[in-house]
Amino acid sequence: MDGKRCPHPRWRRRLREGISGGAGARGRDGCARRGRGGRAAVGPGRAMGNVLGPAAPRAPRRGEPLGSPGSFDELHRQCKGVFPQQMEGVKLIVTKTLSSHFQVTHTVHMSTLGPSSYHFNATYVGDRQLSPTEVFPTLVGDMDNTGSLHAQVLHLVAERIRTKAVFQTHQAKFVTWQFDGEYRGDDCTATLTLGNPDLLGESVILVAHFLQSVTSRLVLGGEMVYHRRPGEEGAILTLAGKYTALKWVATLNVGYGGAHASYYHRANEQVQVGVELEANTRLQDTTFAFGYQLNLPQANMVFRGLLDSNWSVGGVLEKKLPPLPVTLALGAFLNHWKNRFHCGFSVIVG
């Protein structure tokens, strides 16, 4: 500075307080330049007029993406995941990965309630991976010691169209043959299932599912089941809704055959709980079940327990043994009303 001062005290006060900011440009002598009519010159990118007025409101944000609602069969998946699997007898499961595409599994089950069994499972996965749990094409085959076969083929026909074929035999007799076609849009899912079609016997089962994401949290849809066989024909309609919050998920299915409601809540990283209510109008029966899952990552342990309205309690404890690829599971279930108790132990390798 060469010692010159701005001739206007009002501008000196504004510059000290930082009010004028970049509204007025400075001259070589450090004073704010003045435009026509005595107003301060406005810098580039600023609107003319009251430079000290409030800023213009921002444009409204775009809504959150709705996302895909998933498949109809997975509506209650999170709640069912906290319930323990029934166990009895001793089971040994050995899994061997032969390559990045091929895997085989051997299962030996020594049961105390029925005959013992052996299962051989082979799985082939392709190169197209859409998610950690979705790889196309996928071929799965499972055969037991009696010769019964259960096979599935999943294929991605187009970017949004998936197909699945299921075949099941009991020894030398076909039991189930089913064909599915599913369309997954950005915010909707439509599925059509054709089960056990028999042109000569004039029997068929047709199932249609549709789910629509109304908002980013709410999903609505329905299911229609149509069956036809000689002397009998009918259809059942079921409506479904699912609401997903930050830590909980509520799902409800209501139809002519009954209702199925579930509630899943994640309390923290270690504790998850689930509640299920099922009502069957045909059997005039209603059941209620409460399940929970406790994760202990430091001990490599997971415990799942249940309590239902049939006076049954049970639990399964899983323990991993790193660095070995071995998981031990111990389960016990007791029905107080029927005075039945059974327990199980399994070893999973691989």
Side-chain angles (χ1 to χ4, degrees), residues 51-101:
V51 297
L52 302 179
R58 296 180 179 178
R61 297 180 179 179
R62 295 183 178 180
E64 299 180 2
L66 299 182
S68 175
S71 63
F72 193 91
D73 297 333
E74 297 178 351
L75 287 176
H76 301 271
R77 178 177 54 86
Q78 288 180 288
C79 181
K80 290 184 178 295
V82 304
F83 285 82
Q85 296 284 343
Q86 292 283 341
M87 295 180 59
E88 62 87 19
V90 179
K91 182 180 292 186
L92 173 64
I93 303 174
V94 180
T95 301
K96 175 65 175 179
T97 301
L98 303 180
S99 67
S100 59
H101 299 280

Side-chain angles (χ1 to χ4, degrees), residues 11 14 24 27 79 82 139 161 193 195 220 224 253 280 287 316 337:
W11 287 109
R14 289 186 178 180
C79 181
V82 304
L139 289 81
I161 301 178
T193 301
L220 298 178
M224 189 198 70
N253 293 12
N280 192 314
T287 58
V316 174
W337 186 262

Side-chain angles (χ1 to χ4, degrees), residues 25-39:
R26 294 187 178 182
R28 293 182 180 179
D29 57 355
C31 300
R33 293 201 304 263
R34 295 158 63 95
R36 294 182 180 180
R39 292 186 180 181

Side-chain angles (χ1 to χ4, degrees), residues 71-73 75 189-191 207-212 219-225 236-242 252-255:
S71 63
F72 193 91
D73 297 333
L75 287 176
T189 301
T191 307
V207 182
H209 296 150
F210 181 78
L211 291 176
Q212 174 69 52
V219 174
L220 298 178
E223 174 191 57
M224 189 198 70
V225 179
I236 299 177
L237 178 64
T238 302
L239 302 179
K242 178 180 178 181
L252 176 63
N253 293 12
V254 179

Side-chain angles (χ1 to χ4, degrees), residues 164-348:
K164 181 174 69 172
V166 179
F167 303 94
Q168 185 175 358
T169 66
H170 180 67
Q171 297 180 357
K173 181 181 179 181
F174 267 98
V175 178
T176 301
W177 52 96
Q178 174 181 312
F179 306 94
D180 297 2
E182 181 181 81
Y183 172 83
R184 289 200 178 187
D186 295 331
D187 57 359
C188 67
T189 301
T191 307
L192 184 64
T193 301
L194 185 65
N196 290 2
D198 187 359
L199 299 179
L200 299 179
E202 297 183 354
S203 64
V204 68
I205 299 176
L206 188 64
V207 182
H209 296 150
F210 181 78
L211 291 176
Q212 174 69 52
S213 295
V214 181
T215 66
S216 59
R217 298 181 181 272
L218 180 62
V219 174
L220 298 178
E223 174 191 57
M224 189 198 70
V225 179
Y226 170 81
H227 68 278
R228 175 187 174 88
R229 61 184 179 181
E232 184 179 353
E233 183 180 10
I236 299 177
L237 178 64
T238 302
L239 302 179
K242 178 180 178 181
Y243 185 85
T244 303
L246 185 61
K247 290 187 176 182
W248 57 271
V249 178
T251 309
L252 176 63
N253 293 12
V254 179
Y256 178 78
H260 181 195
S262 67
Y263 175 80
Y264 165 83
H265 188 91
R266 186 182 186 92
N268 49 49
E269 294 297 329
Q270 287 77 35
V271 181
Q272 304 173 53
V273 297
V275 179
E276 271 194 317
L277 175 66
E278 294 187 63
N280 192 314
T281 56
R282 185 174 60 87
L283 301 177
Q284 297 295 316
D285 182 41
T286 301
T287 58
F288 170 84
F290 170 78
Y292 60 94
Q293 176 177 323
L294 178 62
N295 298 327
L296 302 174
Q298 296 181 350
N300 296 313
M301 295 174 59
V302 177
F303 180 80
R304 295 180 177 91
L306 71 86
L307 171 67
D308 62 21
S309 57
N310 294 324
W311 298 90
S312 296
V313 295
V316 174
L317 176 65
E318 297 181 3
K319 168 69 174 178
K320 294 184 178 181
L321 304 177
L324 300 176
V326 178
T327 301
L328 304 180
L330 177 64
F333 298 87
L334 173 64
N335 189 310
H336 293 83
W337 186 262
K338 298 181 180 180
N339 196 21
R340 291 181 181 177
F341 172 78
H342 61 271
C343 61
F345 177 75
S346 67
V347 179
I348 304 173

